[in-house]
Amino acid sequence: MYQFRTIAAVMLFFVCLLTGCSSSLTMSLVFSVETGDQIKVTVDCSEGLKLKQTSNGFAVTKGENDVIQAFFVGEAMYQQYLDAVAAQEGVTVNQESSENGITYLSYSYEGEAGTENNFIVWIDGASTGVVAGSLSDLETATKVFHCISFSKE
């Protein structure tokens, strides 16, 4: 009887271990930002993406390359970025949308380092926005952006 319980316990342990591995395809960081908010950033890692903290925000990487770099802003700075996009010549607005707890504007323009594909985000229920930039092509930047989720903790 003891041997049966031991085998059952070991099997249960391995089932739990394997279940835990298959469900951990996300990576999250919680940031205490200047607005006073606690913002959780989560990345779906199923496509080989990783989330890392940077000196002024975070980056989403694939392999050794930063695909998106981002930083947090308050409401006034968020509005300044929106106003700058509206006023700047040569900007292409790709998409404006509200979904998954955020409102965002996606835009592209030719910068000094090449075509920048950027996102200006407002997190619902927070006093915090995010400005994210990418030098990757628009399809890649957009795909990676949609692997990121934000929430106020």
Side-chain angles (χ1 to χ4, degrees), residues 73-146:
V73 295
E75 187 172 6
M77 186 64 71
Y78 168 80
Q79 192 59 52
Q80 286 178 7
Y81 272 93
L82 290 177
D83 294 344
V85 167
Q88 188 171 348
E89 290 185 30
V91 169
T92 301
V93 173
N94 302 313
Q95 185 175 15
E96 293 181 73
S97 184
S98 291
E99 57 188 49
N100 301 322
I102 63 169
T103 300
Y104 70 92
L105 170 76
S106 166
Y107 69 97
S108 301
Y109 79 98
E110 288 298 321
E112 291 179 18
T115 302
E116 292 188 25
N117 295 298
N118 301 324
F119 304 86
I120 304 171
V121 179
W122 189 255
I123 302 165
D124 295 347
S127 300
T128 303
V130 176
V131 177
S134 179
L135 291 174
S136 297
D137 62 85
L138 179 59
E139 182 180 347
T140 300
T142 301
K143 184 176 180 179
V144 170
F145 175 75
H146 286 291

Side-chain angles (χ1 to χ4, degrees), residues 23-42:
S23 65
S24 62
L25 294 174
T26 62
M27 181 180 279
S28 298
L29 292 171
V30 177
F31 296 88
S32 296
V33 296
E34 290 181 9
T35 62
D37 289 334
Q38 297 278 325
I39 302 297
K40 182 178 183 180
V41 179
T42 302

